[in-house]
Amino acid sequence: MNSVPGLFYDAPLQPPVRSAVDDVVDQAPAAVAPSYRLDFGPDAYFIDVYEHAKDPSDPLELRDLYLGRVEEALGARSTRQELASKWRASRRRRTVTPEQVLSSRATIRFVKEMFNYYFRDDLYGSLSRPNQLILSSGSVDEEEWGLPTAIKQSISYALARDWYGYSDSRGREPAREAVAAYESAKLEGVSYDVRNVALTMGGTFAVTSVTDHVLTSRATGAPALCAIPNYPPLVESLARRAPARLVPTPAVDGVTSLAPLLDELRPDTPLILLQTATNPTGAKVVEEELEALIRRAGPSTMILLDECHEWLGPQPRYSAARTADNVIRVNSLSKNWSAPGLKVGWLLASAAFIDDYYEYASSSFGGPPSFFYTAVEVLARMERWRLENRSQIGPSELAEFESGYGLTAPALQAAYSNYLRERQTREHSLITLRDIATNRLHLPDTHVAAARYSINLAVVLRDYADSYLAFRDILAQRDVSVFPGLLTFCLSGGLVRITTARRWSELSPALSRIEKFRLTDRGTGSLLAEG
């Protein structure tokens, strides 16, 4: 064995470090939260693209027509006149219903193609410029609010110990046991054990692998149901394996309604994909409605809960329904711990499903990177202690770790105290920045849906019928990038997403530029509310 000092041997108690955002945080008011309702189904303006297409089942033609209409609306600021010409040459050929759009395989692929186009060809392609400010990342600025020190030290320790060999395809048992205990602390009256946990290579990979596993073994011919808004790579990966239907779930005052999913549920529905806190709205499902959905679904209907955005808000106690045999829960370090590039997470399910998943994992990818297991174990244990309002480390907490770590009580106490302080400071800062942005974006013809969770805000530009056109106008006129709602399957209106977890030196001027865009540039852009 390598001669390596014990874990956290060099973790003295660190004083808090103030950043540029702290002075703002100290004075910031809470967010104003007027009532609102957001609907995400296709409107007539969106459907118009399908009605103009020669082949509405061709996602690439839909993409080019959609972009062509945007370029035509941009007029002299258009950068791709060949696409504008395609739109001008098209004509209305048919009548299309919302149901046809929501049940079309082409819709899912079209949105994914737009997602690719946005990042590859526009934002980081031909429209990239040195002075633009990006509020469209969807993730925390990791250089400002990175991983807690204790987790970084855990990764360094594992590397120093050369812990990067083969492992169980579900992950190392102490890490899985720690995740089971952490997730059990969120539940009412039930608990998990190590048999209910598999570590994964991040949230997107976990959802993709689960849908692949479930839909190849349980395909019924009925469509899988995908609640929207949702993340295009996840929906596209599901749709490659089985028929899928998009189900708009409206957000009302920070709550996602599951009534449309209940209406669409069939006895032979193979799978439901649902975000428990929605990107981009930060709206959360009500536990009672989720219970009703789980109870009504048949035992062969798997309910896949993407919980990755369920953070930066009140921590409720989850009902026992989330542990039902047909429920699979997915989480990751991507959002809550500012580490999307590590590709580390976990899924929770019945022991029988995890056993089946073991066979799938061992045949498909082997297992997640083994040098992250210590970090996951430390994170899960410290998060559970934090959830239980513990501040002091005693013999029982020390005994949760194997003796081979060489941990001492003072070192563990110092590491945990740092962890508590870093997490509390981070959450306070991020919530305050979200509140500041919410208040400042209450502008003419602009509606902000105050978020209950996550780092994103849904901002509706009422004078735009097209979210992608809104992105192009704001970028062209004020050098600020926002995220078009279309790219999260918001299929109507001018909804864009603003990510507020940016350093103050970027967020403040970006908000000022958007304010000027709404107050000064109104009337000079391409406003298409008339459709």
Side-chain angles (χ1 to χ4, degrees):
M1 185 179 86
N2 288 346
S3 178
V4 177
L7 181 60
F8 304 138
Y9 79 97
D10 59 348
L13 195 61
Q14 299 292 331
V17 178
R18 289 184 68 83
S19 68
V21 76
D22 291 322
D23 293 331
V24 179
V25 166
D26 291 342
Q27 307 172 37
V32 177
S35 62
Y36 67 89
R37 177 187 174 96
L38 299 177
D39 292 288
F40 307 106
D43 59 12
Y45 186 80
F46 183 82
I47 291 172
D48 193 43
V49 173
Y50 291 73
E51 295 179 336
H52 277 70
K54 293 178 182 178
D55 180 4
S57 67
D58 181 352
L60 297 181
E61 184 188 2
L62 294 174
R63 179 200 66 187
D64 288 349
L65 280 176
Y66 183 94
L67 287 167
R69 187 174 62 179
V70 170
E71 296 293 337
E72 174 70 5
L74 287 169
R77 288 178 287 111
S78 169
T79 58
R80 300 180 180 93
Q81 274 301 312
E82 70 281 4
L83 291 175
S85 297
K86 283 188 178 183
W87 175 253
R88 288 193 297 268
S90 68
R91 58 181 176 82
R92 184 169 282 106
R93 300 170 183 271
R94 66 188 61 80
T95 299
V96 175
T97 67
E99 173 58 32
Q100 289 173 309
V101 171
L102 293 170
S103 59
S104 170
R105 173 68 178 93
T107 299
I108 296 170
R109 184 67 187 188
F110 157 50
V111 172
K112 178 59 167 59
E113 289 293 336
M114 288 297 302
F115 182 89
N116 296 345
Y117 198 94
Y118 172 81
F119 287 107
R120 179 192 61 214
D121 299 289
D122 278 352
L123 182 60
Y124 298 116
S126 62
L127 302 183
S128 177
R129 59 195 75 186
N131 60 339
Q132 68 186 18
L133 297 172
I134 295 178
L135 296 187
S136 53
S137 66
S139 62
V140 175
D141 184 330
E142 64 276 1
E143 293 184 5
E144 187 78 15
W145 300 280
L147 279 170
T149 302
I151 308 308
K152 294 178 183 177
Q153 290 173 321
S154 299
I155 295 172
S156 297
Y157 179 76
L159 287 172
R161 294 288 301 269
D162 296 313
W163 286 347
Y164 36 73
Y166 288 119
S167 68
D168 189 301
S169 294
R170 296 163 296 184
R172 188 168 181 265
E173 188 164 308
R176 292 164 54 214
E177 182 276 324
V179 170
Y182 166 47
E183 293 289 354
S184 295
K186 304 176 186 177
L187 294 166
E188 291 281 6
V190 292
S191 61
Y192 292 112
D193 63 34
V194 69
R195 299 171 301 166
N196 300 114
V197 180
L199 302 188
T200 67
M201 292 189 285
T204 299
F205 175 84
V207 171
T208 298
S209 62
V210 167
T211 56
D212 185 35
H213 176 51
V214 169
L215 294 174
T216 38
S217 61
R218 305 184 188 215
T220 65
L225 302 180
C226 299
I228 58 173
N230 217 311
Y231 185 49
L234 303 184
V235 182
E236 170 63 20
S237 68
L238 184 156
R240 290 179 180 180
R241 292 159 176 84
R245 187 191 187 281
L246 303 174
V247 182
T249 52
V252 182
D253 295 338
V255 173
T256 296
S257 171
L258 299 185
L261 274 177
L262 288 164
D263 291 341
E264 293 295 332
L265 184 62
R266 293 170 31 175
D268 58 348
T269 297
L271 184 140
I272 298 170
L273 175 60
L274 170 66
Q275 291 183 326
T276 53
T278 305
N279 171 23
T281 64
K284 187 178 176 298
V285 301
V286 175
E287 206 68 17
E288 290 74 17
E289 278 201 348
L290 183 58
E291 284 187 55
L293 178 67
I294 294 168
R295 282 197 306 267
R296 191 178 299 183
S300 63
T301 299
M302 302 305 291
I303 300 174
L304 181 51
L305 302 180
D306 176 356
E307 299 179 348
C308 294
H309 287 273
E310 199 170 334
W311 67 287
L312 214 61
Q315 177 58 62
R317 295 284 284 180
Y318 296 148
S319 76
R322 293 205 191 200
T323 67
D325 286 346
N326 62 333
V327 174
I328 305 160
R329 298 170 53 201
V330 171
N331 213 326
S332 81
L333 274 63
S334 177
K335 309 299 181 186
N336 196 355
W337 289 276
S338 309
L342 294 188
K343 304 300 181 188
V344 180
W346 55 82
L347 63 85
L348 302 124
S350 69
F353 182 87
I354 295 296
D355 284 344
D356 285 344
Y357 186 79
Y358 171 84
E359 167 57 28
Y360 172 86
S362 62
S363 301
S364 302
F365 59 89
S370 54
F371 59 83
F372 289 132
Y373 293 156
T374 306
V376 171
E377 179 184 358
V378 169
L379 179 148
R381 295 199 193 285
M382 290 188 175
E383 280 295 320
R384 190 189 91 244
W385 300 340
R386 194 166 77 105
L387 200 61
E388 295 168 345
N389 294 316
R390 302 191 199 186
S391 58
Q392 297 300 310
I393 295 301
S396 62
E397 287 81 16
L398 184 62
E400 293 184 26
F401 293 94
E402 296 175 333
S403 59
Y405 284 130
L407 267 170
T408 65
L412 183 58
Q413 179 68 68
Y416 178 56
S417 296
N418 284 338
Y419 186 90
L420 274 181
R421 183 164 43 253
E422 288 176 281
R423 293 288 285 162
Q424 290 165 353
T425 300
R426 175 182 186 271
E427 290 187 0
H428 179 57
S429 298
L430 293 178
I431 289 172
T432 304
L433 290 176
R434 190 177 67 192
D435 289 349
I436 290 171
T438 301
N439 291 335
R440 286 183 59 176
L441 291 172
H442 284 292
L443 300 165
D445 284 328
T446 306
H447 180 82
V448 187
R452 293 191 178 186
Y453 290 84
S454 196
I455 54 172
N456 299 314
L457 290 178
V459 181
V460 180
L461 309 181
R462 294 194 188 99
D463 45 356
Y464 278 82
D466 188 317
S467 62
Y468 207 90
L469 178 61
F471 148 68
R472 288 293 304 274
D473 268 349
I474 297 171
L475 184 65
Q477 296 180 45
R478 291 295 171 179
D479 283 333
V480 177
S481 167
V482 297
F483 194 75
L486 169 67
L487 308 186
T488 52
F489 290 96
C490 300
L491 305 181
S492 58
L495 184 153
V496 298
R497 187 188 77 189
I498 303 287
T499 298
T500 62
R502 314 310 298 166
R503 62 188 69 191
W504 185 242
S505 60
E506 296 175 3
L507 180 62
S508 180
L511 292 174
S512 296
R513 292 183 191 182
I514 294 174
E515 288 169 338
K516 290 176 182 176
F517 175 78
R518 299 306 282 160
L519 296 170
T520 305
D521 300 335
R522 297 177 73 248
T524 66
S526 304
L527 309 183
L528 296 181
E530 69 273 17

